[in-house]
């Protein structure tokens, strides 16, 4: 399992990007499921995901109201290994497997025992 990306919840993606050293945009979309603008940036051998909630219905809206910032770490793996890891580490699924258009793959979100959000993305 390897780290795929680090996710940040931000108030304004364009303003946030202006202060980053990294500016290679891989993909930029509006995600209907998350009700958020999403941007995937490339930084050497890792990606950075910027999430800008668009309404109170967004999964990350409350997180932004508390200040936003670092939100989750995403690991690239298989569904089977992710499910085993979630079970072995006694994680709680927040959102079951769903298609993520930004990553063009299926993902699952879970809380670990440190009360952190962890995302797993299926390998291609």
């Amino acid at each position: 399992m390897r780290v795929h990306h680090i996710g940040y919840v931000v108030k304004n993606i364009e303003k946030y990007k202006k202060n980053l050293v990294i500016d290679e945009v891989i993909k930029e979309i509006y995600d209907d499921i998350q009700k958020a603008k999403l941007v995937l940036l490339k930084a050497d051998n890792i990606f950075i995901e910027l999430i800008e909630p668009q309404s109170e219905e967004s999964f990350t809206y409350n997180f932004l109201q508390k200040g936003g910032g670092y939100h989750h770490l995403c690991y690239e793996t298989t569904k089977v290994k992710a499910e085993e890891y979630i079970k072995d580490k006694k994680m709680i699924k927040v959102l079951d497997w769903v298609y993520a258009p930004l990553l063009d793959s299926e993902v699952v979100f879970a809380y670990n025992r440190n009360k952190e959000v962890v995302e797993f993305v299926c390998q291609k």
Side-chain angles (χ1 to χ4, degrees), residues 7-21:
Y8 291 89
V9 176
V10 300
K11 187 174 182 175
N12 183 297
I13 286 174
E14 292 309 313
K15 286 183 181 178
Y16 194 88
K17 282 192 325 187
K18 287 180 184 177
N19 295 311
L20 293 176
V21 174

Side-chain angles (χ1 to χ4, degrees), residues 59 91-96 108-112 116-118:
F59 298 142
M91 298 173 81
I92 299 168
K93 281 188 189 177
V94 178
L95 182 63
D96 208 352
V108 65
F109 289 87
Y111 276 121
N112 65 19
E116 298 168 327
V117 177
V118 179

Side-chain angles (χ1 to χ4, degrees), residues 96-111:
D96 208 352
W97 291 97
V98 64
Y99 176 74
L102 183 70
L103 306 176
D104 191 25
S105 190
E106 286 189 274
V107 299
V108 65
F109 289 87
Y111 276 121

Side-chain angles (χ1 to χ4, degrees), residues 4 6 14 16 19 28 34 46-47 49-51 55 57 62-63 70 72 97 99 108 119 123:
H4 182 271
I6 302 168
E14 292 309 313
Y16 194 88
N19 295 311
E28 194 165 354
Q34 293 190 53
I46 194 167
F47 296 102
E49 177 185 23
L50 301 180
I51 306 157
S55 73
E57 289 81 38
N62 288 336
F63 188 83
Y70 167 76
H72 69 271
W97 291 97
Y99 176 74
V108 65
E119 179 181 13
Q123 294 173 329

Side-chain angles (χ1 to χ4, degrees), residues 58-82:
S58 174
F59 298 142
T60 53
Y61 179 82
N62 288 336
F63 188 83
L64 180 61
Q65 298 311 300
K66 294 176 184 176
Y70 167 76
H71 183 259
H72 69 271
L73 198 54
C74 177
Y75 295 94
E76 186 175 10
T77 188
T78 64
K79 270 190 175 182
V80 172
K81 287 183 181 178

